[in-house]
Amino acid sequence: MEAEISTPEERGVSAAQRRAEIRRRKLLMNSEQRMNRIVGFNKNDGENSEVQRVTEPRFHLDLDRNECFSSSVSTKRVSPFVSEARSEGSMLDERREEEGEDTERGVRLRPRGETSSEERSRSPRRGINTYLSRFDDAIKLRGQLTNEKASQESSTDVDEFDSFRLFRLLGSVVLAVCVRIFVCHYLSIFAPFLTLELAYMGLYKYFPKVDRKMKTTVLSAALLLSGIPAEVISRSAETYRTMGDVFSDLCVYFFTFITCHEIITAFSSHST
Amino acid sequence: MADVGYNWLLVLSSVFVCNLVKTLLPSISSLLSKILQKDAEQEMEMRTEIQNMKLELSSISMMDEFARYARLERKINKMTDKLKTHVKSRTAQQAKMKWIVNIIFYILQAALMISLIWKYYADPVTVVPSKWISPLERLVAFPSGVAGGVGITCWLVVCNKVVAIGIHAFS
């Protein structure tokens, strides 16, 4: 009895499913025609592949032509061709990965020479590709900036006092005291300081290198966006930092020297 | 001569005080806002009340005493909204206080620096033999122009840098 009841229901469901499937295919065919018009294929091309259309659904062709609309679109659809679509999608993912490798080399605009003849013939497709690659770049840059910000906020100025910096400051203090006691009567106080700085430049490589994070300032971002290579910007930032270090050393040296001098003068005046 | 002998210390101590106060500015502003805020107790009361009500809510069975449960939940929501508004206004007041304290501090610091420069414009902070600082004696003596003297600007810059390094190292 139940079988008798369920059979017409199943029939009804299957008929409904069939109708839905036909409707879906019809829609897909229309969408492909529309996409053809957008991409700029001739009708003749479509007519030549008419035989294929009977045997294969348009869905695959759509994906093939618009590879940049990522495979997520295809995988979301529940259809008997899902497995095929997924395989197509994985191929497309591989292509995207290859493109991604190119984009990971840095923020760049693809030179025209790199584009193939097929790509040149299909300008809308190339446009979409360019747009997507730029979008990827923008997303990567945003992520990078966010990470840098977070790391800067978490460890602000922690690495500022590395061992070499401390050594420099202590060396400046010791030298200033020594110069006040022994040297200053014979020559200028800046001569020993310059010698010390030269020594620091030589000793730099014997100290463990601390990987100082480059601060993302508005200036560096503007220079980067205006096309100056990151290497040049980082080098100039390094030079600027070195100059700052030398200035700090000079300040500490001069301060210690003057303080020492004042203390010695005070003691000598008291003793006399 | 004795006056000249301690000028460097005076400038150094004023720079040190300025830098120290600058480091303590957030604490000072929060302390001031705490002192000036009158309804801090009310906020605490509201917080404890909400916590008590939440405890009570967790002890009530929703299935058995739904009406009571819903009533209490509505009360908690109302109180939470009230507390949120209160906290928002307090935060705004704190930001305002911080801004005012910062402004006052920077005005005072500028006044102090200008007065120091004004006072020691012609006199050096300290004097050393000019031979010791030989190629840069004019730069070091600026604006006093005394040969071998250490000018106020140079000394201010040096003191600022050293004090900043010292405070950073100890903080």
Side-chain angles (χ1 to χ4, degrees):
Chain A
M1 188 65 183
E2 281 177 16
E4 281 176 349
I5 294 164
S6 65
T7 319
E9 275 179 9
E10 278 176 12
R11 277 175 195 168
V13 168
S14 63
Q17 277 180 343
R18 214 179 299 132
R19 279 202 299 278
E21 184 61 31
I22 290 161
R23 210 179 303 128
R24 197 180 61 80
R25 284 190 187 193
K26 213 174 185 179
L27 280 168
L28 284 171
M29 281 172 75
N30 287 336
S31 72
E32 196 225 355
Q33 281 168 4
R34 259 181 268 140
M35 195 51 73
N36 280 347
R37 256 183 246 160
I38 294 162
V39 174
F41 281 147
N42 291 330
K43 263 193 172 181
N44 297 332
D45 294 340
E47 282 167 10
N48 291 337
S49 61
E50 196 63 30
V51 184
Q52 283 183 338
R53 278 186 191 184
V54 178
T55 52
E56 282 183 31
R58 305 293 134 252
F59 187 34
H60 305 283
L61 292 169
D62 275 344
L63 269 173
D64 204 25
R65 274 169 203 164
N66 302 299
E67 59 181 352
C68 299
F69 299 119
S70 65
S71 59
S72 61
V73 179
S74 65
T75 49
K76 276 176 189 171
R77 292 180 188 176
V78 182
S79 77
F81 314 107
V82 161
S83 59
E84 288 174 17
R86 274 186 185 156
S87 65
E88 285 266 354
S90 63
M91 280 172 67
L92 294 170
D93 282 343
E94 283 171 13
R95 283 187 202 176
R96 286 294 303 280
E97 279 171 14
E98 282 168 15
E99 284 177 10
E101 281 174 11
D102 289 338
T103 54
E104 276 170 12
R105 282 168 200 159
V107 181
R108 89 285 174 270
L109 287 174
R110 186 185 285 175
R112 287 192 176 186
E114 281 182 28
T115 53
S116 65
S117 57
E118 190 190 359
E119 277 181 336
R120 255 175 256 150
S121 65
R122 293 177 188 176
S123 60
R125 187 176 153 188
R126 197 181 63 201
I128 292 165
N129 274 336
T130 316
Y131 171 74
L132 280 169
S133 68
R134 279 182 189 173
F135 184 73
D136 283 348
D137 286 346
I139 293 289
K140 273 176 201 163
L141 196 66
R142 196 181 66 169
Q144 199 184 332
L145 280 171
T146 316
N147 289 337
E148 275 180 11
K149 256 189 182 175
S151 62
Q152 273 174 18
E153 276 168 10
S154 62
S155 63
T156 42
D157 299 336
V158 171
D159 56 343
E160 206 172 312
F161 272 105
D162 53 282
S163 58
F164 186 59
R165 185 86 197 280
L166 213 62
F167 175 71
R168 285 178 79 122
L169 293 175
L170 283 173
S172 303
V173 170
V174 171
L175 183 78
V177 174
C178 291
V179 165
R180 175 61 193 88
I181 296 166
F182 305 112
V183 188
C184 64
H185 301 286
Y186 307 107
L187 79 166
S188 166
I189 62 165
F190 297 111
F193 176 74
L194 287 175
T195 317
L196 184 75
E197 285 305 312
L198 283 172
Y200 284 153
M201 279 174 194
L203 287 170
Y204 175 69
K205 56 190 168 190
Y206 297 110
F207 280 86
K209 280 183 182 176
V210 180
D211 192 23
R212 287 184 185 179
K213 281 162 195 166
M214 192 183 145
K215 283 176 186 173
T216 319
T217 56
V218 180
L219 180 69
S220 63
L223 289 170
L224 199 70
L225 287 171
S226 61
I228 294 166
E231 180 67 23
V232 176
I233 295 166
S234 66
R235 242 183 243 169
S236 60
E238 187 65 38
T239 313
Y240 182 71
R241 206 181 293 139
T242 312
M243 280 167 67
D245 285 350
V246 171
F247 181 69
S248 301
D249 289 348
L250 180 63
C251 285
V252 169
Y253 175 76
F254 191 72
F255 178 82
T256 316
F257 179 83
I258 295 292
T259 312
C260 229
H261 171 71
E262 288 300 323
I263 289 165
I264 288 168
T265 313
F267 271 111
S268 61
S269 67
H270 273 290
S271 62
T272 53
Chain B
M1 187 66 196
D3 273 352
V4 174
Y6 292 105
N7 286 342
W8 66 279
L9 202 60
L10 179 72
V11 176
L12 175 64
S13 50
S14 31
V15 167
F16 179 74
V17 167
C18 277
N19 275 279
L20 200 69
V21 173
K22 198 178 179 181
T23 318
L24 297 172
L25 266 184
S27 327
I28 291 167
S29 61
S30 64
L31 190 76
L32 275 174
S33 60
K34 262 183 194 174
I35 291 165
L36 291 172
Q37 205 162 19
K38 291 160 191 168
D39 49 359
E41 283 177 15
Q42 195 190 339
E43 194 184 312
M44 279 300 290
E45 275 173 18
M46 277 160 77
R47 277 179 197 275
T48 47
E49 205 173 333
I50 286 168
Q51 272 186 348
N52 289 338
M53 281 195 291
K54 275 185 180 170
L55 274 172
E56 199 183 333
L57 193 76
S58 62
S59 65
I60 298 168
S61 165
M62 193 170 70
M63 308 278 268
D64 299 337
E65 297 171 280
F66 180 72
R68 199 180 150 206
Y69 186 90
R71 215 179 301 133
L72 199 60
E73 202 174 45
R74 278 203 295 275
K75 212 174 169 184
I76 288 171
N77 288 343
K78 202 178 169 185
M79 190 71 88
T80 311
D81 286 345
K82 208 176 165 185
L83 186 70
K84 269 182 189 170
T85 326
H86 200 269
V87 166
K88 214 178 261 180
S89 69
R90 187 170 56 88
T91 315
Q93 200 183 344
Q94 265 183 354
K96 201 177 168 184
M97 181 58 71
K98 198 178 170 183
W99 189 74
I100 290 167
V101 167
N102 275 343
I103 292 282
I104 289 169
F105 167 73
Y106 283 116
I107 287 169
L108 285 177
Q109 193 187 18
L112 181 67
M113 293 299 147
I114 288 166
S115 63
L116 279 174
I117 292 169
W118 188 270
K119 194 182 176 194
Y120 298 112
Y121 191 82
D123 305 322
V125 175
T126 183
V127 182
V128 291
S130 60
K131 198 183 76 179
W132 293 4
I133 44 173
S134 65
L136 304 173
E137 69 260 35
R138 277 176 178 274
L139 189 76
V140 172
F142 180 82
S144 64
V146 177
V150 178
I152 180 72
T153 47
C154 172
W155 190 240
L156 272 178
V157 168
V158 167
C159 285
N160 258 310
K161 192 75 189 169
V162 171
V163 167
I165 288 169
I167 285 178
H168 179 72
F170 284 107
S171 67

